[in-house]
Amino acid sequence: MSYLIISFSHKNIDIKMREKLSFNSDEDKERFIKQILENEPTKEVVLLSTCNRVEIITRSSNVKQSARNIIEKLATYSGLDFELLYDRADIYDNDGAVHHLFSVASALDSLVIGETQIVGQLKDAFRFSQAKGYCSSNITRVMHYAFKCAAQVRNATSLGTGSVSVASTAVAKAKDIIGNTKGVKALVIGAGEMSELTVKHLISSGFDVTIISRDMKKAQNLATTFEVHVNVEPYSELSNLLAKTPVMITATSAPYPIITKDNAPSSNINRYWFDIAVPRDIDENISLSNLEVYSVDDLQDIVNENMSLRAEQAKTAYGIVSRMSLEFFEWLKSLEIEPIVKNLYVKGNDIIDKKVKNAIKKGYISASDEENIRKLCQTVITEYLHQPSKQLKDISKNMECDLVVGTVQNMFGFNNDSNLRNKYKCDHLSKN
C-alpha cells in the first residue's frame, strides 16, 4: 500500500478550472469520497478543497489505477476533459506524497507562502473524513506528522508571522493602488472567516469599512468584534454601495457569481474590485468604465514579492519538511518492529510459564522454588534477546526492513499487533 495524492492548485491550473473542481458543500465532498472508495485499490480518503487547491489524499494498493479512477471521477464532477485533467494533475506517491503533504500543511505550497489558514483547513478536512469513517490509522499517522511538521516550521521560522493570506495580499494591492487610504471607503461582501481577515487588514490600512451580507445578523456580530466602528448595510443596498465605493473585496462561499451584469452598476469614480472567492463572486464578463477587477490569480506580483522576501525562511522550512518526511518513514518502520520485539519477549515468557509448570508437575523442581526459577529464566531470555532486539530496531532504519519484518513474522508465527499500532493518535489535531 502506498500513500497517493492527486493535487490541483494555482501551480498547475487556472482559476476557471479551480472553480469547476471546487467542492462547496459537505454533501458534495461526501458523495465524491464515497465514489472514490468504490474503487477496489483505493483505501482511506481525505479531500481538501480551498480557494487555491483541491488535494485528494489516499492510500492505494495500485497507484496508477487509483489515480486514473480519481481523475475520471473529478472529470465527471467538474465537467472538464479527463485528458486535460490527467495531463495537468500533480500525482505524488509514497515519499513524494508525504513530502508534498508536509509542504502543503506548512504553507510552503500556498499562493502566499506562510499563509496561516491552510493548516486549519487541512485539519477540518481530516476531521470530516475521520468523523465519517473515511480514513483510519494510516492516514491518521501521516496527518499526525504533517501537523507536527507544520508546527515545527512555524516555531523555527517567521513564515507564519505578519500579513500572510490572500486577504492581506488583496488589501496590500488595494493600498498600493489607492496610496493614501485614510478615510477611503471599502466594502466587504460576506461575513465568514475570510471576510473577517479582510476587514481586519482594511482597518489596519486606514480604510473606512462597510460589511454587507445576506445574513445581516452574522454581519452585525462580525462588526462588533473590531475595536473601531464598522458599518453594516442590508444586502438590498448592494448595487448602491458598489456604485459609490472605491474598493470592494468579496469573499463569499456562493457557488455562483453574486455580482453580474444585472446588478453591477456603472459609476463616474474609479473603482477596484477584488474577488478572493473560488468559485468567483464576480462574473468574468463584466466590463465597465473606471472599473478594474482582480481575481486571486491577479495578485501574483505581490505573491512574487512575498516569495523573495521569505526565500531564506522558506529554505529553512523546506529543510524541516525533508527531514520530517524521512523521520516519518523511519517511524512507520519502527511501528513494524515494536510488535515483533514485544512478541519475542511474550513468546519467551509463555515458554517459561509452560516449562516451569511442567517441571513442577513432574517433580523436577519444588513449587517453593518456582518464583526464583522464573526470575532466572526471564533473566536468561532478556539477555538472550537483547542483541536481536537491538538489531531489529537498527534494521527499521534500513531499506530491507520490510523484507526482514515479513521473514521474522513468518519464522515465529507472529501476527501484526493492531492494538499497539492504533495507540498512536494525532496529538496536533486539536491545535491551531
Side-chain angles (χ1 to χ4, degrees), residues 5 9 76 120 135 142 204 229 254 267 270 302 378 428:
I5 295 180
S9 70
T76 302
C135 65
V142 76
S204 66
H229 176 70
S267 177
N270 290 327
I302 293 181
Q378 284 167 351
H428 295 266

Side-chain angles (χ1 to χ4, degrees), residues 103 130 295 384:
S103 299
Q130 238 190 359
S295 69
Y384 179 71

